[in-house]
Amino acid sequence: MPITAFLDIHVKAEFLSEAPEVLHDTLLTTRAFDGCLGVDVLVDTEDPTHFVLVEQWVSLEHDAAYRTYRAGPGKSSLGPILSGTPVLTKFEIATDI
């Protein structure tokens, strides 16, 4: 079953001008990863340092493979520009509601 993952991040104010390029470069790999159906980037209208990445994945297994990749050999360059720990939340469609 497809899932949607929300990655809620805040970037350091001093890196705000660099954030779009770092996110773009990181998301090139994410969007090309097996099982990724797409990624949208949302920017908070009241806080430009606050982003939410909305990721669509074919399955939990594909998402898990991606997270394993990012935790190992595919570590992104986002870490130094973040002001805190990202919050990841995963959802699936409730077909019975």
Side-chain angles (χ1 to χ4, degrees):
M1 171 176 281
I3 68 153
T4 301
F6 292 87
L7 184 65
D8 193 318
I9 63 171
H10 289 82
V11 300
K12 296 174 186 170
E14 62 267 27
F15 290 106
L16 187 56
S17 64
E18 297 171 42
E21 183 178 347
V22 174
L23 283 166
H24 178 267
D25 292 349
T26 299
L27 293 177
L28 287 173
T29 301
T30 304
R31 290 176 172 129
F33 200 87
D34 183 44
C36 181
L37 299 172
V39 180
D40 290 319
V41 178
L42 307 177
V43 181
D44 189 323
T45 59
E46 295 187 18
D47 179 1
T49 68
H50 182 204
F51 297 83
V52 175
L53 285 63
V54 182
E55 307 171 7
Q56 302 285 327
W57 293 93
V58 169
S59 68
L60 277 171
E61 293 78 19
H62 285 89
D63 175 77
Y66 171 73
R67 305 294 164 199
T68 299
Y69 167 75
R70 283 296 190 196
K75 188 171 178 103
S76 80
S77 56
L78 283 176
I81 72 166
L82 298 181
S83 65
T85 304
V87 176
L88 177 66
T89 312
K90 301 174 189 180
F91 295 86
E92 58 185 26
I93 296 173
T95 60
D96 59 338
I97 299 176

